Amino acid sequence: MTLNILKSLQNYFRSEPPPEIIAQQLRHPSGDLAEEIGNKMNEANEPLYDLVLDVMQIENYDKILEIGFGNGKFFNRLFKRAEGLQVMGIDYSQEMVRAAKRINNRFIASEKLNLQRGNSDQLPYSDHCFDKVFCNMVIYFWDEPETHLSEIHRVLKSDGKFYAGLRSHKSMLNFPFVKYGFTLFKVDEWKRILVENEFSFLDIQTKLDPEMKFNGNEFQLESCCIVAAKGL
């Protein structure tokens, strides 16, 4: 494929992204569209990220894992919440890992942050090592949630907590791309899955995002943070 054709495709995607392409890229940002997708995810998910950080009530010297950190733009907000944090991150996209390392090189150099490529159904961490595990807009892509939850359960300390950031089921139906490879969970469904996988449901916090526009339509997403504890 010539460079001119590639640029034409990129311009086309910016103006009228086919929903199946958007869905594919949101699941696994890759290739020449990865950078743009990462930036768009930041723009859309900033209110959700801030909600999850508020709910987490991060404490000094917490050891934290983020699953699916994208291009890592918001790690600086996490580090502002407390002192002495040790943060790990894992993401499925090599392009996102590369971008996040570039953006957060000062945290990596100071050994506050460690980022690697991988999947949450095979976490490369020892048992019982994290105080908190969180993810935003990631559970939609877990084809078998039990395998991911089993790994999260394994790496959490006995009093550890798991925070899942997502948008309400009704909110997500505003996007045509969710028909392609997304598993949309209602709150009660996710609570049931947590309990079936040896977690205790603790809390849910919700907040309406600022109005946004997509495909010419204006609407508000509802951000949700669902909190679970290890053990029943």
Side-chain angles (χ1 to χ4, degrees):
M1 181 180 295
T2 68
L3 183 59
N4 287 336
I5 294 175
L6 179 58
K7 288 182 176 179
S8 297
L9 282 173
Q10 288 177 301
N11 289 332
Y12 172 72
F13 289 154
R14 288 190 184 101
S15 59
E16 295 184 45
E20 60 271 27
I21 295 296
I22 296 178
Q24 181 185 40
Q25 285 290 325
L26 290 173
R27 173 182 282 265
H28 185 193
S30 59
D32 295 281
L33 295 176
E35 181 177 356
E36 182 176 349
I37 288 293
N39 291 333
K40 291 295 185 183
M41 287 193 295
N42 290 338
E43 182 180 339
N45 294 331
E46 183 175 7
L48 175 62
Y49 199 96
D50 286 338
L51 172 64
V52 172
L53 289 187
D54 287 342
V55 173
M56 285 172 66
Q57 298 182 338
I58 297 167
E59 299 178 352
N60 292 344
Y61 303 104
D62 271 348
K63 188 171 182 180
I64 300 171
L65 169 64
E66 181 175 8
I67 296 169
F69 51 77
N71 66 14
K73 177 183 177 181
F74 300 123
F75 278 122
N76 63 329
R77 300 187 187 191
L78 193 158
F79 283 110
K80 289 178 180 178
R81 297 283 175 139
E83 297 179 356
L85 298 180
Q86 185 177 2
V87 180
M88 307 286 183
I90 189 165
D91 197 285
Y92 189 51
S93 166
Q94 184 61 59
E95 287 87 346
M96 292 296 96
V97 174
R98 188 180 300 116
K101 286 183 176 180
R102 183 177 65 252
I103 292 171
N104 296 282
N105 60 347
R106 70 187 188 280
F107 297 130
I108 295 171
S110 63
E111 299 184 347
K112 296 179 179 180
L113 179 65
N114 179 277
L115 303 177
Q116 50 188 307
R117 182 179 184 270
N119 205 335
S120 51
D121 59 1
Q122 291 183 312
L123 292 173
Y125 310 109
S126 59
D127 297 353
H128 319 303
C129 62
F130 292 107
D131 299 289
K132 297 175 173 72
V133 175
F134 76 104
C135 62
N136 287 311
M137 303 295 282
V138 169
I139 66 173
Y140 303 122
F141 306 117
W142 289 351
D143 298 325
E144 297 180 352
E146 61 273 13
T147 61
H148 301 265
L149 290 173
S150 175
E151 280 291 271
I152 292 168
H153 192 280
R154 178 183 64 80
V155 302
L156 277 171
K157 296 179 180 179
S158 59
D159 58 348
K161 294 181 176 63
F162 171 47
Y163 303 81
L166 64 156
R167 269 28 187 273
S168 68
H169 184 273
K170 183 178 180 180
S171 291
M172 290 300 290
L173 294 179
N174 285 290
F175 299 113
F177 55 74
V178 299
K179 299 177 183 178
Y180 303 92
F182 280 66
T183 301
L184 300 183
F185 296 100
K186 295 181 179 179
V187 170
D188 286 343
E189 291 173 331
W190 186 244
K191 288 165 62 174
R192 174 183 55 78
I193 290 170
L194 288 168
V195 171
E196 288 175 352
N197 288 276
E198 300 184 352
F199 284 89
S200 296
F201 168 78
L202 294 182
D203 191 20
I204 177 171
Q205 295 290 325
T206 64
K207 185 177 182 179
L208 283 177
D209 293 6
E211 285 192 356
M212 69 173 298
K213 184 178 290 186
F214 186 84
N215 281 355
N217 298 316
E218 292 186 358
F219 52 86
Q220 281 183 289
L221 296 175
E222 183 181 30
S223 289
C224 308
C225 178
I226 299 178
V227 188
K230 183 173 180 175
L232 298 174

